[in-house]
């Protein structure tokens, strides 16, 4: 009787192995579903990027506003009759790094 119980237990374990650890087992399916979710998220982001680029290409082909905007921003071009004004930041006062005191000019 003991041999039959042990053989049945061994058979049960042998049947469970492919279910959990085999090629199409639960662990592999879980891992594949996780990878599939990650790939879907990545594809969604890439799809949004492609839609944006497609819109840019369409705008560049059909209209002149996009070309004009790129020329202004990327190349600093201006239209005829316009003035270009560039405001430079003011210089920061220098400080003595050792004590944090501004240098002053001494009058003699």
């Amino acid at each position: 009787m003991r041999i039959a119980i042990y053989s049945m237990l061994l058979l049960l374990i042998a049947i469970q192995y492919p279910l959990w650890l085999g090629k199409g087992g639960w662990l592999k399916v879980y891992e594949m579903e996780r990878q599939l979710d990650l790939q879907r998220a990545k594809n969604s982001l890439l799809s949004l990027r492609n839609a944006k680029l497609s819109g840019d290409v369409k705008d560049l082909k059909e209209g002149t506003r996009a070309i004009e905007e790129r020329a202004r921003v990327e190349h600093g071009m201006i239209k005829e009759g316009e003035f270009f004004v560039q405001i430079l930041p003011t210089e920061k006062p220098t400080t003595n790094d050792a004590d944090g005191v501004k240098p002053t000019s001494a009058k003699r």
Side-chain angles (χ1 to χ4, degrees):
M1 186 69 173
R2 223 174 246 214
I3 293 174
I5 291 173
Y6 288 134
S7 63
M8 291 286 200
L9 187 60
L10 184 62
L11 184 62
L12 181 65
I13 291 171
I15 291 172
Q16 291 292 314
Y17 175 78
L19 178 65
W20 292 98
L21 303 172
K23 186 175 182 180
W26 290 104
L27 296 176
K28 295 283 185 183
V29 169
Y30 174 74
E31 179 64 26
M32 292 292 199
E33 285 178 352
R34 191 179 65 80
Q35 288 178 2
L36 182 64
D37 289 340
L38 290 174
Q39 190 63 43
R40 282 184 178 155
K42 186 176 179 181
N43 287 350
S44 175
L45 291 174
L46 291 175
S47 173
L48 290 174
R49 185 195 68 168
N50 288 347
K52 181 182 175 191
L53 289 174
S54 176
D56 286 347
V57 168
K58 182 181 175 185
D59 197 25
L60 286 171
K61 284 183 179 180
E62 294 176 358
T64 58
R65 281 183 38 186
I67 295 170
E68 183 179 329
E69 180 182 347
R70 284 183 183 253
R72 288 174 180 272
V73 172
E74 293 177 6
H75 301 290
M77 301 178 97
I78 58 173
K79 282 184 178 178
E80 205 172 302
E82 289 183 336
F83 296 101
F84 177 75
V85 178
Q86 184 177 10
I87 300 173
L88 298 174
T90 60
E91 291 184 27
K92 295 182 180 177
T94 58
T95 59
N96 189 349
D97 289 339
D99 56 3
V101 178
K102 292 182 184 178
T104 58
S105 58
K107 295 183 181 179
R108 294 183 185 185

